[in-house]
Amino acid sequence: MNILDKIVADKRKEVALRKSLIPISQLEQSVLFNRPENSLANALKNSTSGIIAEHKRRSPSKSEINQSLNVQDVALGYENAGVCGMSVLTDAKYFGGSLDDLLLARATTQFPLLRKEFIIDDYQLLEAKAYGADVILLIAAILTREEIKQLSEFAKSLNLNVLLEVHNEEELHKAIMPSLDMLGVNNRNLKTFEVSLDTSKTLSKLIPDDFVKVSESGISSIDAIKDLKNYGYQGFLIGENFMKTNNPGDNAKLFIDQLAAK
């Protein structure tokens, strides 16, 4: 069993438990539930930088990244830096995140928030909406085409943007459908954890122009972004590069300023 299978098996148990504790009706009564759409896809189309900055404490590949920062400070720092949106890891067991991180980020900022999670059930989309997310991530590697269709259409009915993540050509072919806003290419091989930007370059020509293209993982330099823009990418998810510093917001600002100057 690889790490992804393990995470999904644990996630099924976790979701079943959460469902038994918090009924759907309670999620739907959240003050945040009826917020209008706050589109990350549009923000990326209209941005010169295209940066989606991430809040991530740890990961299976890099056990600890940064445990000491407070999520509100990180969110405010990112917003002041001018990023397009923020990705918030909500998985507790493997990434040290929580839905409360999303809630705290929402309470302090206006920009689009992505719930970064292993989504396998409609219930998690209702949670995302109730806790202030504007965008959800679907991972093609853990979902069938039918599940991608059903989850993405349900997300759209909740005014949530959908970012679908693929790792290879096979996943991309099963994933392309009108209910997605953004197609993300993860440059990290989830089985080996090796990272290569060539993954984004190779798959770029197979992604129709109807979708905003997002490159994820392993992006740490201005040159990498300049290069990927030539392949039609408008979004760049950067986590570790900012989070491993003492002030992710300041580092994001410096990065965006340098990108604009080039």
Side-chain angles (χ1 to χ4, degrees):
M1 192 187 257
N2 66 37
I3 185 72
L4 200 53
D5 296 334
K6 216 168 137 198
I7 290 173
V8 172
D10 284 337
K11 194 57 61 181
R12 292 196 190 283
K13 291 180 201 155
E14 183 196 315
V15 173
L17 177 64
R18 294 179 83 91
K19 275 179 162 176
S20 70
L21 296 173
I22 301 175
I24 286 171
S25 57
Q26 192 175 325
L27 293 173
E28 290 173 337
Q29 282 159 19
S30 153
V31 290
L32 296 169
F33 199 82
N34 292 312
R35 283 180 318 110
E37 184 182 13
N38 186 8
S39 173
L40 178 61
N42 288 345
L44 293 174
K45 283 179 198 165
N46 297 315
S47 165
T48 48
S49 78
I51 306 290
I52 307 161
E54 191 156 79
H55 180 267
K56 178 160 70 168
R57 292 186 180 87
R58 56 186 166 87
S59 74
S61 60
K62 295 247 173 71
S63 50
E64 188 166 313
I65 299 163
N66 197 328
Q67 301 277 20
S68 63
L69 297 172
N70 142 352
V71 70
Q72 295 107 305
D73 293 344
V74 175
L76 271 175
Y78 281 156
E79 191 167 51
N80 293 336
V83 305
C84 293
M86 175 173 167
S87 162
V88 181
L89 266 299
T90 61
D91 174 79
K93 184 169 182 181
Y94 296 92
F95 291 87
S98 75
L99 277 164
D100 286 342
D101 287 340
L102 194 57
L103 206 54
L104 291 168
R106 176 77 297 144
T108 42
T109 57
Q110 297 299 314
F111 60 11
L113 295 177
L114 163 72
R115 180 185 187 188
K116 186 96 175 280
E117 182 55 273
F118 299 86
I119 289 182
I120 49 167
D121 192 292
D122 279 358
Y123 183 81
Q124 292 163 288
L125 303 184
L126 294 164
E127 281 182 328
K129 190 71 183 176
Y131 281 81
D134 305 293
V135 193
I136 54 113
L137 175 77
L138 297 179
I139 301 170
I142 63 174
L143 300 166
T144 63
R145 182 174 173 82
E146 200 38 58
E147 286 168 333
I148 293 168
K149 184 175 188 297
Q150 191 270 316
L151 288 164
S152 57
E153 287 176 356
F154 185 55
K156 298 306 287 176
S157 77
L158 297 172
N159 283 328
L160 290 165
N161 265 198
V162 181
L163 167 63
L164 186 112
E165 175 180 295
V166 299
H167 299 83
N168 55 43
E169 194 172 333
E170 183 193 352
E171 288 174 8
L172 182 61
H173 286 312
K174 80 170 177 187
I176 291 176
M177 56 187 75
S179 44
L180 311 175
D181 301 285
M182 295 161 282
L183 265 162
V185 177
N186 194 334
N187 300 306
R188 178 175 283 119
N189 181 316
L190 290 185
K191 295 191 171 74
T192 63
F193 286 122
E194 283 168 9
V195 172
S196 169
L197 295 184
D198 288 341
T199 311
S200 280
K201 294 175 186 179
T202 308
L203 294 182
S204 68
K205 47 190 172 293
L206 304 172
I207 301 173
D209 290 335
D210 322 6
F211 305 105
V212 175
K213 297 179 195 176
V214 178
S215 185
E216 309 170 21
S217 296
I219 301 166
S220 58
S221 71
I222 304 292
D223 289 342
I225 289 183
K226 291 281 186 196
D227 195 11
L228 288 165
K229 282 188 173 188
N230 294 328
Y231 291 83
Y233 284 91
Q234 292 175 290
F236 309 93
L237 184 72
I238 302 181
E240 248 155 73
N241 204 39
F242 301 145
M243 282 301 294
K244 66 187 179 193
T245 67
N246 291 330
N247 195 320
D250 282 359
N251 279 275
K253 181 159 182 17
L254 188 64
F255 192 88
I256 288 170
D257 289 348
Q258 287 172 347
L259 184 61
K262 271 229 171 180

